[in-house]
Amino acid sequence: MENFKPVMDAAELERLKANLKLSYKERFEMCTRLYKIQQTMNRATIVHKPFIAK
C-alpha cells in the first residue's frame, strides 16, 4: 500500500488549534454533552406508522 498522508484543510487545522485552547472544564462539558447524545441515540428506536390518506 502506498504511504497515505491525510490531507487537512486550513479550516480543520484552525478548529483543532482552537480546541486545544479550551480549558479542562470546557473540554469536560463538551465530552459529557457528546456522551449524553450518544446514550440517547443508542436508546432510540425507529417507529414507523403507515400513512393513511382520507
Side-chain angles (χ1 to χ4, degrees):
M1 224 174 159
E2 297 178 19
N3 291 338
F4 177 74
K5 293 183 180 180
V7 178
M8 296 179 63
D9 60 353
E12 290 175 338
L13 193 57
E14 290 299 320
R15 198 175 326 135
L16 286 174
K17 287 180 181 179
N19 287 336
L20 288 174
K21 294 178 184 177
L22 295 177
S23 69
Y24 286 114
K25 182 179 178 182
E26 291 170 323
R27 291 180 192 180
F28 176 76
E29 289 172 350
M30 178 61 72
C31 187
T32 55
R33 189 176 309 135
L34 293 173
Y35 178 74
K36 288 179 182 179
I37 291 171
Q38 179 188 16
Q39 293 299 313
T40 302
M41 295 303 288
N42 285 341
R43 284 181 276 159
T45 58
I46 298 175
V47 179
H48 173 71
K49 295 182 180 178
F51 178 73
I52 300 174
K54 292 185 178 183

